[in-house]
Amino acid sequence: MGPIRGFKRRKKAADQKVVDQNVLTSATVASLGPQPQPLDWWDEFSKRISGPLSQSKGPKSFESVFRISRKTFNYICSLVKEDMMARQSSFCDVNGKPLSLNDQVAVALRRLSSGESLSIIGDSFGVNQSTVSQVTWRFVEAMEERGLHHLSWPSTEAEMEQIKSKFEKIRGLPNCCGAIDITHVVMTIPTMDPSTNVWFDLEKNYSMILQAVVDPEMRFRDVIAGWPGSLSDAIVLRSSGFFRLTEEGNRLNGKKLKFSEGTEIREYIIGDAGFPLLPWLFTPYQGKGLSDLQIEFNKRHAATRMVAQMALARLKEMWRIIHGVMWMPDKNRLPRIVLVCCLLHNILIDLDDEVLDNMSLSHHHDNGYRRQNSESFDQSALVTRDQLSLYLTGKLPS
């Protein structure tokens, strides 16, 4: 069959008509001037903020409300999305509008970072207190499930060697793999129940203990939370998984450093005088009348150990739910909340969040708590610490 007469002419006319319409549409749009862009989530969410936080509605105010950058916020949302959205929920604001993933993460992060009460956060974001509580706990569960890879012991020799190198650059301590410290999360709990006495610590507070091993960049590498405040630093250490793994040869079991003929030092961590002196945990010299050698070691030790103190201080300053005094916390849930705060602390470091640049560095994380002193020591550790002291001052015989 030949071509249908007039088809090409009709098609050409139709094409011309479409082109003319497109040109007309473009011209019309151009005449209207710049078109408004779709609202960003924060633009819309910030309009719902009331109370004192309502002053934080500018484009640069996100960091002042959540104390993290938008980049980090987006990453955290992607991390917990699958778990937080997997279960059906009826989380809504006071007007009945369902809370999006971003809404829920925002509520949880504000609760953890500000430490404000459920009622204050609920009033600020237009949600009920029970919703704040439930959303925060769902976020904690999701972070436990999805964020644990941000808190781990170095898995390769290369990674550990890098840590050792950075520690040595602080004040010369060789083969050091971490700094350990303990802090207290203070609580207000019912005093009528005799079972609460175990939480009553030496400073006459009710508290829960967090033990942390930190790397040179103030990243948590091992944490344990949940032990009662009445326990000593030494007992908490000996009760920890880190102690068991190290004693079994599964931690701090890498390269030994040879000082001189017949003298070598294994991998170790450092801690204050509240910990026992062990072959893999060096504490400072104690007592009066220390030699110049011992004083020099203590100075280097204290300067290097400072990273653990600063990490815990930053943790409490950044995630203020564990700063100050917690009102009637669930003691079964609190250790998990502390863990998630540690995960978030590490995420900010891993993502090189710029908000860290604006944070002042402090090493005061346990205000009101006096340093403990452990008299426990390993005889071989005494010898090794002396050899390390001689090495640091260049006086170890070759």
mmCIF file of all heavy atoms in Angstrom, residues 344-390:
data_model
loop_
_atom_site.group_PDB
_atom_site.id
_atom_site.type_symbol
_atom_site.label_atom_id
_atom_site.label_comp_id
_atom_site.label_asym_id
_atom_site.label_seq_id
_atom_site.Cartn_x
_atom_site.Cartn_y
_atom_site.Cartn_z
ATOM 1 N N LEU A 344 27.097 7.931 68.275
ATOM 2 C CA LEU A 344 26.911 9.235 67.643
ATOM 3 C C LEU A 344 28.177 10.085 67.758
ATOM 4 O O LEU A 344 28.556 10.793 66.820
ATOM 5 C CB LEU A 344 25.720 9.956 68.279
ATOM 6 C CG LEU A 344 24.352 9.317 68.002
ATOM 7 C CD1 LEU A 344 23.292 9.910 68.924
ATOM 8 C CD2 LEU A 344 23.952 9.495 66.540
ATOM 9 N N HIS A 345 28.828 10.003 68.912
ATOM 10 C CA HIS A 345 30.113 10.695 69.127
ATOM 11 C C HIS A 345 31.113 10.270 68.054
ATOM 12 O O HIS A 345 31.792 11.117 67.444
ATOM 13 C CB HIS A 345 30.620 10.341 70.524
ATOM 14 C CG HIS A 345 32.038 10.732 70.792
ATOM 15 N ND1 HIS A 345 32.381 11.863 71.506
ATOM 16 C CD2 HIS A 345 33.218 10.126 70.465
ATOM 17 C CE1 HIS A 345 33.699 11.943 71.592
ATOM 18 N NE2 HIS A 345 34.233 10.902 70.986
ATOM 19 N N ASN A 346 31.207 8.962 67.808
ATOM 20 C CA ASN A 346 32.153 8.453 66.818
ATOM 21 C C ASN A 346 31.760 8.836 65.399
ATOM 22 O O ASN A 346 32.624 9.106 64.555
ATOM 23 C CB ASN A 346 32.258 6.932 66.925
ATOM 24 C CG ASN A 346 33.159 6.485 68.066
ATOM 25 O OD1 ASN A 346 33.643 7.302 68.846
ATOM 26 N ND2 ASN A 346 33.381 5.195 68.174
ATOM 27 N N ILE A 347 30.470 8.846 65.117
ATOM 28 C CA ILE A 347 30.000 9.197 63.770
ATOM 29 C C ILE A 347 30.437 10.613 63.409
ATOM 30 O O ILE A 347 30.864 10.877 62.281
ATOM 31 C CB ILE A 347 28.470 9.030 63.667
ATOM 32 C CG1 ILE A 347 28.112 7.535 63.607
ATOM 33 C CG2 ILE A 347 27.917 9.749 62.439
ATOM 34 C CD1 ILE A 347 26.625 7.245 63.655
ATOM 35 N N LEU A 348 30.333 11.538 64.359
ATOM 36 C CA LEU A 348 30.766 12.906 64.095
ATOM 37 C C LEU A 348 32.247 12.956 63.742
ATOM 38 O O LEU A 348 32.669 13.729 62.875
ATOM 39 C CB LEU A 348 30.490 13.802 65.310
ATOM 40 C CG LEU A 348 29.174 14.586 65.267
ATOM 41 C CD1 LEU A 348 27.969 13.662 65.342
ATOM 42 C CD2 LEU A 348 29.109 15.602 66.398
ATOM 43 N N ILE A 349 33.047 12.113 64.410
ATOM 44 C CA ILE A 349 34.484 12.061 64.103
ATOM 45 C C ILE A 349 34.711 11.408 62.749
ATOM 46 O O ILE A 349 35.481 11.904 61.920
ATOM 47 C CB ILE A 349 35.234 11.292 65.204
ATOM 48 C CG1 ILE A 349 35.121 12.021 66.549
ATOM 49 C CG2 ILE A 349 36.708 11.100 64.828
ATOM 50 C CD1 ILE A 349 35.713 11.265 67.723
ATOM 51 N N ASP A 350 34.028 10.290 62.503
ATOM 52 C CA ASP A 350 34.200 9.566 61.239
ATOM 53 C C ASP A 350 33.790 10.405 60.036
ATOM 54 O O ASP A 350 34.379 10.287 58.958
ATOM 55 C CB ASP A 350 33.384 8.266 61.259
ATOM 56 C CG ASP A 350 33.918 7.250 62.264
ATOM 57 O OD1 ASP A 350 35.076 7.389 62.688
ATOM 58 O OD2 ASP A 350 33.171 6.315 62.628
ATOM 59 N N LEU A 351 32.768 11.247 60.203
ATOM 60 C CA LEU A 351 32.297 12.091 59.101
ATOM 61 C C LEU A 351 32.977 13.459 59.087
ATOM 62 O O LEU A 351 32.640 14.306 58.257
ATOM 63 C CB LEU A 351 30.776 12.274 59.174
ATOM 64 C CG LEU A 351 29.926 11.252 58.409
ATOM 65 C CD1 LEU A 351 30.181 9.834 58.917
ATOM 66 C CD2 LEU A 351 28.451 11.587 58.511
ATOM 67 N N ASP A 352 33.910 13.649 60.020
ATOM 68 C CA ASP A 352 34.639 14.913 60.112
ATOM 69 C C ASP A 352 33.666 16.088 60.156
ATOM 70 O O ASP A 352 33.809 17.071 59.422
ATOM 71 C CB ASP A 352 35.589 15.056 58.923
ATOM 72 C CG ASP A 352 36.645 16.140 59.137
ATOM 73 O OD1 ASP A 352 36.912 16.476 60.309
ATOM 74 O OD2 ASP A 352 37.196 16.662 58.152
ATOM 75 N N ASP A 353 32.679 15.975 61.030
ATOM 76 C CA ASP A 353 31.640 17.001 61.135
ATOM 77 C C ASP A 353 32.250 18.331 61.576
ATOM 78 O O ASP A 353 32.952 18.401 62.579
ATOM 79 C CB ASP A 353 30.573 16.551 62.139
ATOM 80 C CG ASP A 353 29.289 17.351 62.031
ATOM 81 O OD1 ASP A 353 29.378 18.595 62.038
ATOM 82 O OD2 ASP A 353 28.207 16.751 61.938
ATOM 83 N N GLU A 354 31.920 19.380 60.834
ATOM 84 C CA GLU A 354 32.528 20.690 61.102
ATOM 85 C C GLU A 354 32.094 21.287 62.433
ATOM 86 O O GLU A 354 32.750 22.206 62.946
ATOM 87 C CB GLU A 354 32.206 21.675 59.975
ATOM 88 C CG GLU A 354 30.745 21.903 59.703
ATOM 89 C CD GLU A 354 30.197 20.996 58.609
ATOM 90 O OE1 GLU A 354 30.777 19.923 58.377
ATOM 91 O OE2 GLU A 354 29.190 21.373 57.984
ATOM 92 N N VAL A 355 30.997 20.797 63.027
ATOM 93 C CA VAL A 355 30.570 21.356 64.314
ATOM 94 C C VAL A 355 31.610 21.089 65.396
ATOM 95 O O VAL A 355 31.693 21.824 66.392
ATOM 96 C CB VAL A 355 29.194 20.804 64.763
ATOM 97 C CG1 VAL A 355 28.115 21.110 63.752
ATOM 98 C CG2 VAL A 355 29.261 19.305 65.034
ATOM 99 N N LEU A 356 32.427 20.049 65.218
ATOM 100 C CA LEU A 356 33.459 19.741 66.197
ATOM 101 C C LEU A 356 34.516 20.838 66.258
ATOM 102 O O LEU A 356 35.141 21.048 67.291
ATOM 103 C CB LEU A 356 34.117 18.398 65.871
ATOM 104 C CG LEU A 356 33.215 17.157 65.926
ATOM 105 C CD1 LEU A 356 34.004 15.916 65.550
ATOM 106 C CD2 LEU A 356 32.590 16.988 67.303
ATOM 107 N N ASP A 357 34.690 21.533 65.139
ATOM 108 C CA ASP A 357 35.694 22.597 65.104
ATOM 109 C C ASP A 357 35.327 23.746 66.031
ATOM 110 O O ASP A 357 36.210 24.502 66.475
ATOM 111 C CB ASP A 357 35.859 23.130 63.675
ATOM 112 C CG ASP A 357 36.352 22.059 62.713
ATOM 113 O OD1 ASP A 357 37.028 21.121 63.188
ATOM 114 O OD2 ASP A 357 36.072 22.162 61.509
ATOM 115 N N ASN A 358 34.035 23.898 66.291
ATOM 116 C CA ASN A 358 33.574 25.018 67.108
ATOM 117 C C ASN A 358 33.385 24.653 68.581
ATOM 118 O O ASN A 358 32.954 25.487 69.375
ATOM 119 C CB ASN A 358 32.252 25.560 66.550
ATOM 120 C CG ASN A 358 32.386 26.041 65.117
ATOM 121 O OD1 ASN A 358 33.382 26.658 64.761
ATOM 122 N ND2 ASN A 358 31.386 25.750 64.287
ATOM 123 N N MET A 359 33.702 23.405 68.927
ATOM 124 C CA MET A 359 33.538 22.965 70.307
ATOM 125 C C MET A 359 34.829 23.173 71.093
ATOM 126 O O MET A 359 35.918 22.811 70.632
ATOM 127 C CB MET A 359 33.142 21.489 70.371
ATOM 128 C CG MET A 359 31.727 21.196 69.907
ATOM 129 S SD MET A 359 31.236 19.508 70.336
ATOM 130 C CE MET A 359 31.189 19.609 72.120
ATOM 131 N N SER A 360 34.700 23.766 72.245
ATOM 132 C CA SER A 360 35.876 23.944 73.106
ATOM 133 C C SER A 360 36.248 22.597 73.722
ATOM 134 O O SER A 360 35.381 21.785 74.036
ATOM 135 C CB SER A 360 35.580 24.961 74.207
ATOM 136 O OG SER A 360 34.475 24.531 74.992
ATOM 137 N N LEU A 361 37.541 22.382 73.867
ATOM 138 C CA LEU A 361 38.024 21.120 74.423
ATOM 139 C C LEU A 361 38.222 21.244 75.923
ATOM 140 O O LEU A 361 38.897 22.151 76.407
ATOM 141 C CB LEU A 361 39.330 20.714 73.745
ATOM 142 C CG LEU A 361 39.211 20.214 72.297
ATOM 143 C CD1 LEU A 361 40.589 19.936 71.733
ATOM 144 C CD2 LEU A 361 38.355 18.956 72.233
ATOM 145 N N SER A 362 37.626 20.335 76.645
ATOM 146 C CA SER A 362 37.775 20.288 78.096
ATOM 147 C C SER A 362 38.132 18.862 78.487
ATOM 148 O O SER A 362 37.878 17.919 77.729
ATOM 149 C CB SER A 362 36.462 20.698 78.774
ATOM 150 O OG SER A 362 36.511 20.421 80.169
ATOM 151 N N HIS A 363 38.762 18.706 79.638
ATOM 152 C CA HIS A 363 39.050 17.353 80.113
ATOM 153 C C HIS A 363 38.313 17.064 81.416
ATOM 154 O O HIS A 363 38.559 16.049 82.061
ATOM 155 C CB HIS A 363 40.556 17.145 80.299
ATOM 156 C CG HIS A 363 41.182 18.078 81.298
ATOM 157 N ND1 HIS A 363 41.618 19.343 80.975
ATOM 158 C CD2 HIS A 363 41.434 17.931 82.623
ATOM 159 C CE1 HIS A 363 42.106 19.928 82.048
ATOM 160 N NE2 HIS A 363 42.013 19.094 83.070
ATOM 161 N N HIS A 364 37.383 17.945 81.786
ATOM 162 C CA HIS A 364 36.608 17.747 83.012
ATOM 163 C C HIS A 364 35.291 17.053 82.677
ATOM 164 O O HIS A 364 34.377 17.671 82.125
ATOM 165 C CB HIS A 364 36.345 19.087 83.694
ATOM 166 C CG HIS A 364 37.596 19.827 84.072
ATOM 167 N ND1 HIS A 364 38.476 19.364 85.021
ATOM 168 C CD2 HIS A 364 38.121 20.994 83.608
ATOM 169 C CE1 HIS A 364 39.493 20.199 85.148
ATOM 170 N NE2 HIS A 364 39.297 21.200 84.294
ATOM 171 N N HIS A 365 35.201 15.782 82.968
ATOM 172 C CA HIS A 365 33.992 15.023 82.635
ATOM 173 C C HIS A 365 33.319 14.430 83.867
ATOM 174 O O HIS A 365 32.204 13.923 83.765
ATOM 175 C CB HIS A 365 34.338 13.898 81.658
ATOM 176 C CG HIS A 365 35.325 12.890 82.216
ATOM 177 N ND1 HIS A 365 34.946 11.862 83.034
ATOM 178 C CD2 HIS A 365 36.662 12.778 82.063
ATOM 179 C CE1 HIS A 365 36.005 11.155 83.364
ATOM 180 N NE2 HIS A 365 37.066 11.686 82.790
ATOM 181 N N ASP A 366 33.963 14.462 84.996
ATOM 182 C CA ASP A 366 33.419 13.840 86.204
ATOM 183 C C ASP A 366 33.520 14.820 87.369
ATOM 184 O O ASP A 366 34.100 14.519 88.418
ATOM 185 C CB ASP A 366 34.199 12.552 86.522
ATOM 186 C CG ASP A 366 33.280 11.338 86.674
ATOM 187 O OD1 ASP A 366 32.054 11.507 86.540
ATOM 188 O OD2 ASP A 366 33.788 10.240 86.922
ATOM 189 N N ASN A 367 32.953 16.001 87.178
ATOM 190 C CA ASN A 367 33.047 17.046 88.200
ATOM 191 C C ASN A 367 32.497 16.568 89.537
ATOM 192 O O ASN A 367 31.414 15.976 89.603
ATOM 193 C CB ASN A 367 32.281 18.290 87.742
ATOM 194 C CG ASN A 367 32.956 18.967 86.563
ATOM 195 O OD1 ASN A 367 34.175 18.908 86.425
ATOM 196 N ND2 ASN A 367 32.176 19.600 85.713
ATOM 197 N N GLY A 368 33.256 16.833 90.597
ATOM 198 C CA GLY A 368 32.824 16.417 91.929
ATOM 199 C C GLY A 368 33.328 15.047 92.329
ATOM 200 O O GLY A 368 33.116 14.623 93.468
ATOM 201 N N TYR A 369 34.003 14.368 91.395
ATOM 202 C CA TYR A 369 34.518 13.024 91.696
ATOM 203 C C TYR A 369 36.031 13.081 91.894
ATOM 204 O O TYR A 369 36.768 13.603 91.047
ATOM 205 C CB TYR A 369 34.172 12.048 90.575
ATOM 206 C CG TYR A 369 32.744 11.559 90.656
ATOM 207 C CD1 TYR A 369 31.705 12.310 90.110
ATOM 208 C CD2 TYR A 369 32.426 10.370 91.313
ATOM 209 C CE1 TYR A 369 30.394 11.885 90.197
ATOM 210 C CE2 TYR A 369 31.117 9.938 91.406
ATOM 211 C CZ TYR A 369 30.104 10.696 90.848
ATOM 212 O OH TYR A 369 28.810 10.280 90.942
ATOM 213 N N ARG A 370 36.473 12.555 93.012
ATOM 214 C CA ARG A 370 37.896 12.487 93.280
ATOM 215 C C ARG A 370 38.510 11.270 92.602
ATOM 216 O O ARG A 370 37.845 10.255 92.426
ATOM 217 C CB ARG A 370 38.141 12.407 94.795
ATOM 218 C CG ARG A 370 37.807 13.680 95.548
ATOM 219 C CD ARG A 370 37.679 13.420 97.043
ATOM 220 N NE ARG A 370 36.513 12.578 97.351
ATOM 221 C CZ ARG A 370 36.172 12.216 98.576
ATOM 222 N NH1 ARG A 370 36.919 12.586 99.603
ATOM 223 N NH2 ARG A 370 35.101 11.471 98.778
ATOM 224 N N ARG A 371 39.778 11.386 92.249
ATOM 225 C CA ARG A 371 40.462 10.277 91.597
ATOM 226 C C ARG A 371 40.634 9.122 92.570
ATOM 227 O O ARG A 371 41.005 9.310 93.730
ATOM 228 C CB ARG A 371 41.836 10.735 91.105
ATOM 229 C CG ARG A 371 42.523 9.722 90.195
ATOM 230 C CD ARG A 371 43.963 10.111 89.957
ATOM 231 N NE ARG A 371 44.754 9.937 91.195
ATOM 232 C CZ ARG A 371 46.010 10.318 91.317
ATOM 233 N NH1 ARG A 371 46.623 10.940 90.333
ATOM 234 N NH2 ARG A 371 46.663 10.119 92.457
ATOM 235 N N GLN A 372 40.377 7.932 92.100
ATOM 236 C CA GLN A 372 40.567 6.740 92.922
ATOM 237 C C GLN A 372 42.026 6.283 92.829
ATOM 238 O O GLN A 372 42.754 6.653 91.910
ATOM 239 C CB GLN A 372 39.633 5.622 92.459
ATOM 240 C CG GLN A 372 38.158 5.966 92.604
ATOM 241 C CD GLN A 372 37.261 4.825 92.164
ATOM 242 O OE1 GLN A 372 37.664 3.662 92.100
ATOM 243 N NE2 GLN A 372 36.007 5.151 91.856
ATOM 244 N N ASN A 373 42.432 5.474 93.768
ATOM 245 C CA ASN A 373 43.785 4.929 93.765
ATOM 246 C C ASN A 373 43.722 3.428 93.985
ATOM 247 O O ASN A 373 43.176 2.956 94.984
ATOM 248 C CB ASN A 373 44.639 5.571 94.861
ATOM 249 C CG ASN A 373 45.034 6.997 94.532
ATOM 250 O OD1 ASN A 373 45.801 7.239 93.618
ATOM 251 N ND2 ASN A 373 44.487 7.947 95.275
ATOM 252 N N SER A 374 44.271 2.702 93.046
ATOM 253 C CA SER A 374 44.335 1.251 93.163
ATOM 254 C C SER A 374 45.744 0.853 93.604
ATOM 255 O O SER A 374 46.734 1.365 93.074
ATOM 256 C CB SER A 374 44.016 0.591 91.815
ATOM 257 O OG SER A 374 44.264 -0.807 91.877
ATOM 258 N N GLU A 375 45.806 -0.024 94.557
ATOM 259 C CA GLU A 375 47.107 -0.498 95.042
ATOM 260 C C GLU A 375 47.485 -1.840 94.427
ATOM 261 O O GLU A 375 48.499 -2.430 94.781
ATOM 262 C CB GLU A 375 47.081 -0.604 96.570
ATOM 263 C CG GLU A 375 46.866 0.744 97.258
ATOM 264 C CD GLU A 375 46.880 0.634 98.772
ATOM 265 O OE1 GLU A 375 47.013 -0.515 99.271
ATOM 266 O OE2 GLU A 375 46.773 1.676 99.447
ATOM 267 N N SER A 376 46.647 -2.297 93.502
ATOM 268 C CA SER A 376 46.906 -3.582 92.852
ATOM 269 C C SER A 376 47.936 -3.409 91.731
ATOM 270 O O SER A 376 47.865 -2.453 90.955
ATOM 271 C CB SER A 376 45.598 -4.135 92.280
ATOM 272 O OG SER A 376 45.833 -5.327 91.553
ATOM 273 N N PHE A 377 48.895 -4.305 91.666
ATOM 274 C CA PHE A 377 49.891 -4.229 90.602
ATOM 275 C C PHE A 377 50.448 -5.614 90.302
ATOM 276 O O PHE A 377 50.419 -6.520 91.128
ATOM 277 C CB PHE A 377 51.043 -3.282 90.987
ATOM 278 C CG PHE A 377 51.843 -3.747 92.181
ATOM 279 C CD1 PHE A 377 52.945 -4.575 92.029
ATOM 280 C CD2 PHE A 377 51.480 -3.354 93.466
ATOM 281 C CE1 PHE A 377 53.679 -5.006 93.127
ATOM 282 C CE2 PHE A 377 52.204 -3.778 94.575
ATOM 283 C CZ PHE A 377 53.309 -4.606 94.400
ATOM 284 N N ASP A 378 50.941 -5.740 89.086
ATOM 285 C CA ASP A 378 51.613 -6.959 88.636
ATOM 286 C C ASP A 378 53.120 -6.711 88.711
ATOM 287 O O ASP A 378 53.601 -5.676 88.243
ATOM 288 C CB ASP A 378 51.180 -7.290 87.204
ATOM 289 C CG ASP A 378 51.852 -8.526 86.664
ATOM 290 O OD1 ASP A 378 53.017 -8.419 86.236
ATOM 291 O OD2 ASP A 378 51.218 -9.597 86.654
ATOM 292 N N GLN A 379 53.857 -7.648 89.306
ATOM 293 C CA GLN A 379 55.286 -7.441 89.522
ATOM 294 C C GLN A 379 56.034 -7.224 88.211
ATOM 295 O O GLN A 379 56.914 -6.355 88.117
ATOM 296 C CB GLN A 379 55.882 -8.642 90.268
ATOM 297 C CG GLN A 379 57.308 -8.434 90.740
ATOM 298 C CD GLN A 379 57.434 -7.306 91.765
ATOM 299 O OE1 GLN A 379 56.627 -7.214 92.693
ATOM 300 N NE2 GLN A 379 58.436 -6.450 91.587
ATOM 301 N N SER A 380 55.689 -8.007 87.192
ATOM 302 C CA SER A 380 56.383 -7.846 85.904
ATOM 303 C C SER A 380 56.066 -6.495 85.274
ATOM 304 O O SER A 380 56.906 -5.928 84.560
ATOM 305 C CB SER A 380 55.982 -8.975 84.942
ATOM 306 O OG SER A 380 54.598 -8.886 84.593
ATOM 307 N N ALA A 381 54.859 -5.968 85.551
ATOM 308 C CA ALA A 381 54.486 -4.660 85.008
ATOM 309 C C ALA A 381 55.319 -3.547 85.634
ATOM 310 O O ALA A 381 55.634 -2.546 84.978
ATOM 311 C CB ALA A 381 53.002 -4.406 85.229
ATOM 312 N N LEU A 382 55.704 -3.717 86.906
ATOM 313 C CA LEU A 382 56.576 -2.741 87.562
ATOM 314 C C LEU A 382 57.913 -2.633 86.823
ATOM 315 O O LEU A 382 58.422 -1.538 86.576
ATOM 316 C CB LEU A 382 56.824 -3.142 89.018
ATOM 317 C CG LEU A 382 55.695 -2.929 90.026
ATOM 318 C CD1 LEU A 382 56.074 -3.564 91.361
ATOM 319 C CD2 LEU A 382 55.409 -1.457 90.195
ATOM 320 N N VAL A 383 58.444 -3.795 86.470
ATOM 321 C CA VAL A 383 59.733 -3.840 85.772
ATOM 322 C C VAL A 383 59.605 -3.212 84.384
ATOM 323 O O VAL A 383 60.446 -2.396 83.971
ATOM 324 C CB VAL A 383 60.238 -5.291 85.659
ATOM 325 C CG1 VAL A 383 61.525 -5.355 84.825
ATOM 326 C CG2 VAL A 383 60.463 -5.895 87.039
ATOM 327 N N THR A 384 58.556 -3.577 83.669
ATOM 328 C CA THR A 384 58.373 -3.061 82.309
ATOM 329 C C THR A 384 58.157 -1.550 82.311
ATOM 330 O O THR A 384 58.678 -0.837 81.446
ATOM 331 C CB THR A 384 57.176 -3.748 81.631
ATOM 332 O OG1 THR A 384 57.317 -5.173 81.713
ATOM 333 C CG2 THR A 384 57.065 -3.346 80.169
ATOM 334 N N ARG A 385 57.410 -1.048 83.288
ATOM 335 C CA ARG A 385 57.186 0.395 83.364
ATOM 336 C C ARG A 385 58.502 1.133 83.623
ATOM 337 O O ARG A 385 58.749 2.209 83.047
ATOM 338 C CB ARG A 385 56.176 0.723 84.463
ATOM 339 C CG ARG A 385 55.808 2.207 84.525
ATOM 340 C CD ARG A 385 54.725 2.484 85.546
ATOM 341 N NE ARG A 385 55.132 2.133 86.910
ATOM 342 C CZ ARG A 385 54.372 2.306 87.993
ATOM 343 N NH1 ARG A 385 53.142 2.811 87.862
ATOM 344 N NH2 ARG A 385 54.803 1.964 89.188
ATOM 345 N N ASP A 386 59.349 0.561 84.478
ATOM 346 C CA ASP A 386 60.659 1.171 84.723
ATOM 347 C C ASP A 386 61.500 1.189 83.447
ATOM 348 O O ASP A 386 62.191 2.174 83.148
ATOM 349 C CB ASP A 386 61.407 0.413 85.818
ATOM 350 C CG ASP A 386 60.829 0.670 87.205
ATOM 351 O OD1 ASP A 386 60.081 1.656 87.359
ATOM 352 O OD2 ASP A 386 61.129 -0.120 88.123
ATOM 353 N N GLN A 387 61.441 0.107 82.683
ATOM 354 C CA GLN A 387 62.196 0.039 81.427
ATOM 355 C C GLN A 387 61.669 1.073 80.429
ATOM 356 O O GLN A 387 62.437 1.718 79.717
ATOM 357 C CB GLN A 387 62.094 -1.371 80.838
ATOM 358 C CG GLN A 387 62.837 -2.427 81.646
ATOM 359 C CD GLN A 387 62.576 -3.835 81.134
ATOM 360 O OE1 GLN A 387 61.547 -4.103 80.514
ATOM 361 N NE2 GLN A 387 63.528 -4.732 81.398
ATOM 362 N N LEU A 388 60.368 1.231 80.405
ATOM 363 C CA LEU A 388 59.760 2.224 79.518
ATOM 364 C C LEU A 388 60.187 3.635 79.921
ATOM 365 O O LEU A 388 60.489 4.482 79.070
ATOM 366 C CB LEU A 388 58.231 2.102 79.552
ATOM 367 C CG LEU A 388 57.428 3.100 78.707
ATOM 368 C CD1 LEU A 388 57.853 3.049 77.247
ATOM 369 C CD2 LEU A 388 55.929 2.818 78.833
ATOM 370 N N SER A 389 60.241 3.883 81.225
ATOM 371 C CA SER A 389 60.681 5.192 81.715
ATOM 372 C C SER A 389 62.116 5.480 81.297
ATOM 373 O O SER A 389 62.451 6.609 80.891
ATOM 374 C CB SER A 389 60.562 5.247 83.238
ATOM 375 O OG SER A 389 59.231 5.066 83.662
ATOM 376 N N LEU A 390 62.981 4.478 81.409
ATOM 377 C CA LEU A 390 64.371 4.638 80.989
ATOM 378 C C LEU A 390 64.469 4.883 79.488
ATOM 379 O O LEU A 390 65.255 5.727 79.026
ATOM 380 C CB LEU A 390 65.182 3.389 81.371
ATOM 381 C CG LEU A 390 65.446 3.180 82.860
ATOM 382 C CD1 LEU A 390 65.980 1.768 83.110
ATOM 383 C CD2 LEU A 390 66.443 4.220 83.384
#
